[in-house]
Each structure stands twice: as structure tokens, then as C-alpha cells.
Amino acid sequence: QVQLVESGGGSVQAGGSLTLSCVVPGNRGIMYFMGWFRQVPGKEREAVAGISPEGGITYYSDSVKGRFTISRDNAKNTLSLQLNSLYPEDTAMYYCASGLSPPWSTAWTDFRKYPYWGQGTQVTVSS
């Protein structure tokens, strides 16, 4: 079992920025396709961004493209998400996930296809 650990959430005003981090203890889970998802109460978990094992391929949802940046440092077993130009509608619990099997391009948005998850970190954006 791989347990991911997120951090970096918080409360910011609209237009602000945050950086989320996800640490993969050990190295079992780091060499997979990884992604960030978010969820608000009563709604399904939504894909935000995904990144290939070596970091060369990234995907973003239309709602965050141009504002968020996903990156990874495999040497440090860390996945990151830089959130810029935040809107109140970005308010959600943010989760990192790992373990997606290829083909990534058609599967990365489906949270059911990721076997490993963190506990989440809350992002709150006020207007």
C-alpha cells in the first residue's frame, strides 16, 4: 500500500497563489503517472492536472490551464502543484494520486483508475 502525503493548502484571496506538495514515502509510488484532483462536497472528484513518470508529459483541465502548473522531483519523491490567479471556484479539497497505468491521455481524468491517494489538503479562495 502506498500512502501519499499532501501539504501546502490554505486560505488566500482571489488572485493569490499557493503551492501544494505531495510526498511519496519510500520510492514505490513515485515512478508512476501522478495527478492532482479536487473535490467539493456533493460533487464528484475532478481531475486538475497529471504528469508522466519522467515529467515530460503534462495534462491540465480546461478550468486550470494557464493558471496551474504540475511538476515532479523524482529524486525527492515529490509532486507539486503551483496554483496562480486563484478564483473562489478553485476552493476545494485537493488530492494527489498515483499509480495510473497507460494509456494516460485517455485515462488521466478518471479518479477510479488511480490506486494510491493522499488524505487531501484544503484550498479556500475568498473573493
Side-chain angles (χ1 to χ4, degrees):
Q1 183 69 23
V2 177
Q3 181 65 46
L4 313 179
V5 182
E6 301 100 333
S7 62
S11 297
V12 296
Q13 290 191 326
S17 298
L18 283 172
T19 302
L20 307 184
S21 295
C22 172
V23 176
V24 184
N27 61 4
R28 181 183 168 190
I30 194 66
M31 290 310 297
Y32 288 106
F33 186 100
M34 298 185 71
W36 285 98
F37 287 76
R38 64 188 182 187
Q39 189 171 23
V40 297
K43 292 192 174 182
E44 192 168 87
R45 199 162 289 192
E46 173 193 19
V48 174
I51 188 166
S52 61
E54 297 297 335
I57 300 172
T58 57
Y59 301 98
Y60 295 93
S61 67
D62 288 343
S63 61
V64 307
K65 199 173 296 182
R67 300 187 298 122
F68 292 7
T69 303
I70 189 171
S71 62
R72 65 192 298 163
D73 184 342
N74 290 343
K76 296 182 179 180
N77 291 356
T78 301
L79 175 73
S80 298
L81 186 69
Q82 177 66 39
L83 293 71
N84 295 328
S85 303
L86 283 161
Y87 304 145
E89 49 265 41
D90 293 316
T91 295
M93 184 72 77
Y94 283 71
Y95 299 90
C96 68
S98 181
L100 180 69
S101 299
W104 307 314
S105 61
T106 56
W108 79 274
T109 59
D110 188 348
F111 68 90
R112 288 171 286 260
K113 294 185 181 296
Y114 293 77
Y116 311 124
W117 289 88
Q119 81 290 348
T121 186
Q122 178 68 37
V123 172
T124 303
V125 184
S126 58
S127 58

